[in-house]
Amino acid sequence: MVHERLRLASLFVLASLLPALAHHGSGSHGQIPLKPIESIGETWLSKYGQQIDQPFSGPLAFSHLTYSRCLEDESAQFDVAILGMPFDTGTSYRPGARFGPYAIRSGSRRQRGSRGYTLAWGNNPYEQGSKILDCGDVPIIPFDNSLALDQMEVAYSTLLNRPLASNETSWADTSAALAKDGVEHPRVISLGGDHTIVLPILRSLHKVYGPISVIHFDAHLDTWAGYPGTVTEQSRITHGTFFYIANEEGLISNTSVHAGIRCKLAGLGDVQNDESVGFQIISGEDIDDLGVTAIIDTIRKRVGNSPVYLSLDIDVIDPGLAPATGTPEAGGWTTREVKRIIRGLAGLNFVGADIVEVAPAYDHAEVTGIAAADIVHDFLSMFLTQESPAPRRSPVKDEL
Ligand SMILES: [Mn+2]
């Protein structure tokens, strides 16, 4: 006890000397002098101003956005909502995507609205006049998938039907015309969660927009009718079958498209089944043979002017660049290629987007969480930019 008191006393003496030492040191090195020691009595606000988070400080909201519990706080308004869906009990192989929303938010800590301009897009999505809010996570039950699916649908519909924060949004010219009620609805970027979360999302979107075209980035088709051994109705709904169920329920249109497919199949029957569900396949290898531009053109032509939902499974990216996922497949696209394709999709009639299957237990140095968070930034730009910007020539190229 005496020992402890001595230790505390010496710490106290040291702490009281520190400001004086710092003051002395600053003068001798020609730095901006600290305010005199008397000002230690000032408040933070009067001395240092706003409480602006460091990249590594503050509560874990996406990109240091305002965090709001939008499901219970019905006064919370937004144009674009970030919503976590920590659900992973529809996974066929490695579980852990329930920690995806946490990992993506953590990966976004070096992002912020005041530094959101990118050379690629030529704008800052946070400065387009739309209000972007982190609406937290849906508190999904991990013990009962039918209950979990209902919770996700109710949560999504709750946000989708909230009045917009802004009178006019960047997508005002199309969204209201697409919605059955003629009203503009907010857009939600969902952070999965395993891919099953898209079924309740599509159920919710269908009520507002009717059947929707899907742009689906993935290594896998996710259109299978079921897995061996799934004898109950509930067990048919998994992260590899949700599009099949969505088609059964009439939620998606037959102008949907996959991008990045490279998984092993049972045979051509899988492809025929996939076509009957409503998809066209752009394979992983197509990027070498067709290139990014042709892939963008194919996707845009396929979905046309219909309401479009973009779903991106992180396993579309090569496991070398995004290892933290449940069912990795070798030979994937690079993060840069995926980002370039996304940039080519601006101006389509997007009604929502997600990024799923980030399972941080398999990550290294946050590489997957950072990639996913960066793609969410691109989703914001994609939503809030009217037209895809032309490829930008850098100053270095101009000199050559
Ligand atoms: Mn998937």
Side-chain angles (χ1 to χ4, degrees):
M1 190 50 125
V2 173
H3 218 78
E4 181 66 6
R5 275 194 200 142
L6 275 172
R7 200 176 67 84
L8 282 173
S10 58
L11 275 175
F12 181 75
V13 169
L14 187 64
S16 61
L17 282 172
L18 272 176
L21 289 170
H23 193 203
H24 177 74
S26 67
S28 63
H29 291 92
Q31 296 162 348
I32 301 165
L34 290 176
K35 286 191 179 178
I37 194 165
E38 294 77 30
S39 68
I40 208 76
E42 287 183 40
T43 64
W44 177 276
L45 188 62
S46 66
K47 190 170 184 187
Y48 292 113
Q50 274 182 290
Q51 187 177 352
I52 298 170
D53 293 337
Q54 295 286 357
F56 45 82
S57 75
L60 196 51
F62 184 82
S63 187
H64 299 275
L65 283 166
T66 302
Y67 175 94
S68 186
R69 293 177 185 276
C70 305
L71 299 179
E72 66 174 32
D73 178 5
E74 298 188 340
S75 69
Q77 285 190 310
F78 44 83
D79 302 307
V80 181
I82 309 283
L83 179 67
M85 292 212 184
F87 169 90
D88 66 2
T89 43
T91 312
S92 60
Y93 194 49
R94 305 195 302 200
R98 72 182 60 180
F99 298 103
Y102 151 74
I104 299 167
R105 287 192 180 98
S106 182
S108 77
R109 284 179 299 179
R110 286 181 57 250
Q111 299 184 27
R112 63 176 66 234
S114 60
R115 202 173 173 186
Y117 183 95
T118 58
L119 290 173
W121 286 92
N123 66 26
N124 177 348
Y126 296 94
E127 292 174 354
Q128 304 305 305
S130 294
K131 186 173 176 193
I132 308 165
L133 208 58
D134 187 331
C135 284
D137 290 341
V138 186
I140 300 167
I141 197 89
F143 310 118
D144 179 340
N145 278 8
S146 63
L147 174 55
L149 286 163
D150 185 66
Q151 288 177 324
M152 288 187 271
E153 185 181 341
V154 170
Y156 201 89
S157 290
T158 300
L159 301 195
L160 190 61
N161 290 297
R162 184 112 358 129
L164 291 173
S166 308
N167 289 330
E168 215 169 296
T169 60
S170 311
W171 62 85
D173 47 343
T174 55
S175 174
L178 291 168
K180 288 195 236 171
D181 57 8
V183 172
E184 278 182 71
H185 291 259
R187 292 179 184 182
V188 180
I189 296 176
S190 303
L191 313 178
D194 78 48
H195 224 148
T196 315
I197 71 164
V198 172
L199 182 61
I201 290 171
L202 289 172
R203 284 173 174 166
S204 173
L205 286 168
H206 183 264
K207 283 182 239 163
V208 172
Y209 297 103
I212 289 158
S213 300
V214 178
I215 300 170
H216 173 224
F217 288 82
D218 206 312
H220 312 91
L221 298 171
D222 295 356
T223 53
W224 287 281
Y227 285 91
T230 52
V231 290
T232 62
E233 268 305 298
Q234 184 59 54
S235 63
R236 291 178 64 225
I237 301 174
T238 74
H239 77 155
T241 60
F242 63 93
F243 278 137
Y244 188 88
I245 312 282
N247 179 55
E248 278 185 337
E249 296 181 9
L251 308 178
I252 55 178
S253 73
N254 61 0
T255 54
S256 296
V257 58
H258 302 293
I261 301 295
R262 62 188 185 279
C263 66
K264 289 163 189 68
L265 306 172
L268 271 182
D270 279 355
V271 177
Q272 285 154 2
N273 173 68
D274 188 66
E275 283 170 4
S276 73
V277 172
F279 281 90
Q280 176 184 348
I281 294 174
I282 296 169
S283 78
E285 284 198 343
D286 282 344
I287 207 153
D288 300 318
D289 301 327
L290 306 176
V292 165
T293 309
I295 287 176
I296 291 167
D297 290 346
T298 305
I299 294 172
R300 295 190 74 104
K301 208 172 285 173
R302 176 76 173 171
V303 301
N305 294 320
S306 56
V308 181
Y309 183 79
L310 192 156
S311 183
L312 190 145
D313 188 322
I314 197 73
D315 72 24
V316 72
I317 296 173
D318 189 86
L321 302 171
T325 194
T327 51
E329 301 284 352
W333 289 350
T334 66
T335 314
R336 187 181 69 250
E337 286 163 345
V338 168
K339 284 168 62 63
R340 281 208 58 185
I341 295 171
I342 291 169
R343 179 152 59 87
L345 301 178
L348 295 175
N349 294 323
F350 286 107
V351 295
D354 68 65
I355 185 157
V356 295
E357 300 283 357
V358 173
Y362 316 108
D363 215 354
H364 301 280
E366 284 194 283
V367 61
T368 314
I370 290 166
D374 196 83
I375 287 170
V376 172
H377 186 93
D378 283 336
F379 285 169
L380 291 169
S381 299
M382 179 184 80
F383 279 176
L384 302 172
T385 307
Q386 290 287 348
E387 240 174 72
S388 291
R392 189 185 171 88
R393 283 167 60 85
S394 72
V396 176
K397 272 194 206 154
D398 288 340
E399 284 165 20
L400 293 174

